[in-house]
């Protein structure tokens, strides 16, 4: 009797300690990533034109019919070969843009940063809810929630897509909940889809998920494996159909399908990282390998077989669709990880639960729970300590990464006159700061196809499309284009998002018609020599080496921060070469070759410089 009570009390205490450890582990985990999310400054290029659109909508009480921000959309010769996309960009995100603008206008940078962190934490809580509603233990849930936290770190852009991330989980949970429990909360699918359709074009992903889930249920009915009664099946089909129909109630209706399917969209997606296949993104070192994504991919085959055996076709179709989407375009990886975590975590739990009931296995299971609780606690404690120590809550713009605040301050302070040519990625910020006083040349909306093509030619410092060697008395194409738009001010990103020096920066530093007047950590401002801004030019003219050194400093920081990307080292070599320091250029290229021996461009640069020396 004494032995019985001794074992009983010991077991009770052990379970209490386990539960306490798991509770503390989750608490520390959420706090650790809260610190991390809050320490990320505003950095996304798109954010600024989104809140500029929100400001326009709030001030005018209407949605724009024509582009109010870019002067290149006005000329009649700049015909847009894809006007449906222009309308979509101008109107589709209106509700999300208004929300983001109101938050920023009221609470400034800190409001958006806190709001983004809250959306992420809610998303992870929904993933945890999905796992727990499917009976997954807290011990196992911890190790599936952890990858979701990490994956969100790669998708911290402050733009309407945040709402798509959140709504995608909500829609899946509503579908899955009805399939399992017939819960009336399923009826929230209709308002959820209608709200989503007015916030982001990603609502068509929600429609695709509804279609995949419905196809799975239909297959179950055909195979006579459906758990839904006839009445429940009618309710399911009716609610799904109504939810899809209600998404039509947005300013662009179903144009999102047309734009996504159109071959014309390829032109606008060219060289955009998030539209590249995931394999290429990782292969070309554009992103560090996401362990969370790889781990779920490795678990997929076992889960696939398990779902086939069980007949879990709705989940199977959703997961298979997510997998294919994530492979074809990097932007869908986050959806595969978040929703896939729920599905794969649930199936792994079921697989473990179907193992043979043997005494030895039961002993292992019994001993594994406290071990998992201990590992979870140590992991969360380590993460909390690390993030709490390293996180800095500046609640500011990412001025050393993507926000050209100093350069725009300069333009505004000296009231520079004339049209501005701005780097593609800086257009949104120019609009937020300087509109309606001035308009941008282009921004990341890429609304006008002609302007986008011309911006690519200008930024790449294209001398001629047809002639390899341009005659000395002929002005280069990029110069002609700037003349055509009467550009007197040029604002450039010194390095592009891949770490490559902007060719136009180096070209303008060789051209006496353009004078650098301001440079900061990420950008440079040039003024046309002989323009109306002569007074500023005389007072603020910079030495060319000042700009060269700023580019080298930025590329050096990038090379130290991202050691798997060769572009930063190549850029340093390119700048030294442009400065006439060919020996230094060769040393950098040779160093890059030792780190990246299979990189062809580095080898070509080495051969070129050696011949010239």
């Amino acid at each position: 009797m004494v032995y019985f009570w001794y074992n009983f009390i010991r077991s009770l205490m052990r379970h209490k300690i386990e539960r306490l450890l798991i509770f503390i582990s989750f608490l520390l985990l959420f706090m650790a990533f809260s610190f991390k999310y809050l320490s990320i400054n505003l950095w996304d290029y798109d954010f600024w034109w989104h809140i500029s659109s929100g400001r326009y909508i709030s001030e005018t009480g209407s949605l724009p019919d024509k582009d109010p921000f870019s002067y290149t959309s006005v000329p009649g010769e700049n015909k847009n070969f894809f006007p449906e996309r222009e309308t979509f960009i101008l109107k589709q995100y209106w509700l999300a843009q208004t929300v983001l603008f109101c938050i920023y206008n009221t609470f400034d940078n800190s409001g958006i940063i806190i709001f983004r962190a809250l959306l992420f934490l809610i998303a992870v809580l929904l993933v945890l809810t999905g796992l727990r509603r499917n009976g997954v233990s807290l011990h196992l849930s911890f190790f599936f929630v952890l990858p979701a936290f990490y994956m969100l770190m790669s998708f911290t852009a402050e733009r309407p897509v945040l709402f798509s991330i959140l709504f995608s989980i909500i829609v899946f949970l509503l579908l899955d909940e009805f399939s399992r429990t017939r819960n009336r909360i399923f009826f929230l699918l209709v308002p959820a889809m209608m709200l989503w359709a007015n916030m982001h074009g990603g609502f068509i992903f929600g429609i695709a998920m509804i279609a995949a889930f419905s196809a799975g249920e239909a297959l179950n009915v055909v195979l006579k494996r459906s758990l839904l009664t006839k009445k429940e099946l009618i309710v399911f089909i009716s609610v799904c159909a109504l939810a899809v129909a209600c998404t039509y109630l947005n300013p662009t209706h179903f144009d999102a399908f047309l734009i996504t399917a159109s071959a014309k969209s390829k032109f606008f997606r060219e060289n955009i990282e998030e539209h590249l296949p995931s394999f290429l993104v990782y292969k070309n070192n554009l992103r560090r390998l996401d362990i969370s994504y790889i781990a779920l991919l490795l678990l997929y085959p076992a889960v696939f077989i398990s779902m086939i055996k069980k007949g879990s076709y709705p989940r199977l179709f959703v997961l298979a669709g997510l997998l294919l989407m994530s492979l074809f375009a990097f932007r869908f990886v986050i959806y595969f990880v978040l929703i896939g975590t729920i599905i794969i975590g649930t199936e792994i739990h079921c697989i473990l639960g179907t193992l043979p009931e043997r005494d030895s296995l039961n002993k292992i299971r019994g001993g594994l729970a406290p071990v998992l609780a201990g590992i979870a606690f140590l992991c969360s404690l380590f993460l909390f300590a690390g993030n709490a120590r390293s996180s800095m809550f500046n609640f500011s713009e990412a001025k050393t990464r993507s926000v050209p605040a100093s350069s725009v301050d300069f333009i505004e302070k000296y009231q520079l006159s004339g049209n501005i040519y701005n780097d593609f990625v800086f257009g949104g910020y120019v609009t937020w700061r300087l509109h309606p006083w001035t308009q941008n040349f282009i921004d990341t909306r890429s609304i006008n196809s002609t302007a986008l093509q011309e911006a690519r030619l200008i930024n790449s410092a294209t001398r001629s499309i047809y002639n390899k060697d341009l005659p000395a008395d002929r002005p280069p194409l990029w110069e002609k284009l700037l003349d055509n738009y009467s550009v007197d001010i040029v604002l450039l990103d010194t390095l592009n998002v891949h770490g490559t020096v902007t060719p136009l920066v180096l070209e303008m530093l060789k051209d006496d018609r353009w004078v650098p007047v301001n440079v900061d950590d990420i950008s440079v401002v040039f003024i046309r020599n002989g323009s109306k801004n002569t007074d500023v030019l005389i007072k603020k003219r910079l030495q060319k080496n000042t700009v060269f050194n700023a580019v080298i400093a930025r590329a050096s920081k990038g090379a130290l921060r991202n050691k798997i990307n060769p572009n930063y080292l190549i850029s340093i070599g390119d700048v030294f070469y442009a400065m006439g320091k060919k020996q230094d250029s060769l040393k950098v290229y040779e160093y890059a070759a030792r780190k990246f021996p299979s990189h062809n461009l580095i080898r070509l640069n080495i051969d070129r410089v050696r011949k010239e020396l």
Side-chain angles (χ1 to χ4, degrees), residues 340-481:
T341 290
I342 301 172
I343 299 173
I344 293 174
T346 300
E347 291 303 319
I348 293 297
H349 167 76
C350 293
I351 292 170
L352 293 175
T354 58
L355 293 175
E357 292 290 337
R358 296 177 183 173
D359 290 340
S360 57
L361 282 174
N362 287 332
K363 287 180 181 179
I364 292 172
R365 286 170 180 162
L368 194 59
V371 172
L372 289 176
I375 293 173
F377 176 73
L378 291 174
C379 285
S380 60
L381 186 62
F382 174 77
L383 288 169
F384 176 79
N387 287 344
R389 186 177 65 253
S390 63
S391 298
M392 296 179 64
F393 304 146
N394 295 323
F395 295 118
S396 63
E397 303 158 356
K399 296 178 183 178
T400 60
R401 179 182 177 185
S402 60
V403 181
S406 172
S407 290
V408 176
D409 286 344
F410 183 90
I411 294 169
E412 186 175 38
K413 178 181 178 180
Y414 292 99
Q415 294 288 295
L416 300 183
S417 62
N419 283 342
I420 184 172
Y421 172 80
N422 57 271
D423 204 295
F424 171 75
V425 294
F426 289 159
Y429 189 72
V430 169
T431 294
W432 173 250
R433 290 285 307 278
L434 303 180
H435 186 269
W437 170 56
T438 192
Q439 293 178 301
N440 69 44
F441 185 95
I442 195 171
D443 53 44
T444 49
R445 295 174 302 164
S446 305
I447 279 185
N448 189 281
S449 52
T450 302
L452 177 59
Q453 181 61 38
E454 290 175 337
R456 289 172 178 171
L457 294 170
I458 294 170
N459 250 41
S460 60
T462 302
R463 298 184 61 78
S464 175
I465 296 176
Y466 306 107
N467 300 316
K468 185 177 180 181
D469 296 315
L470 192 68
D473 60 336
R474 296 278 300 276
L477 177 60
W478 64 267
E479 185 79 48
K480 287 182 179 179
L481 290 171

Side-chain angles (χ1 to χ4, degrees), residues 503-537:
L504 187 60
V505 172
L506 301 181
E507 195 69 23
M508 281 191 154
L509 287 171
K510 294 190 298 183
D511 194 329
D512 291 335
R513 288 171 290 186
W514 295 94
V515 180
V517 291
N518 188 80
V519 66
D520 58 21
D521 291 327
I522 63 169
S523 63
V524 58
V525 177
F526 290 90
I527 292 178
R528 185 188 291 272
N529 207 343
S531 67
K532 296 178 181 178
N533 302 300
T534 304
D535 291 345
V536 179
L537 188 151

Side-chain angles (χ1 to χ4, degrees), residues 19 46 63 225-226 238 247 270 323 335 350 436 465 471 551 584 589 599:
R19 285 196 292 269
D46 292 358
L63 303 183
R225 302 179 68 171
S226 177
S238 300
T247 61
E270 187 178 330
L323 174 63
Y335 302 102
C350 293
I465 296 176
V551 181
D584 291 333
Y589 289 142
H599 201 286

Side-chain angles (χ1 to χ4, degrees), residues 143-164:
F143 294 99
F144 277 100
V145 164
L146 190 58
F149 267 122
Y150 269 111
M151 199 66 221
L152 283 167
M153 291 294 298
S154 297
F155 293 85
T156 55
E158 313 88 9
R159 44 182 166 147
V161 72
L162 294 177
F163 295 103
S164 274

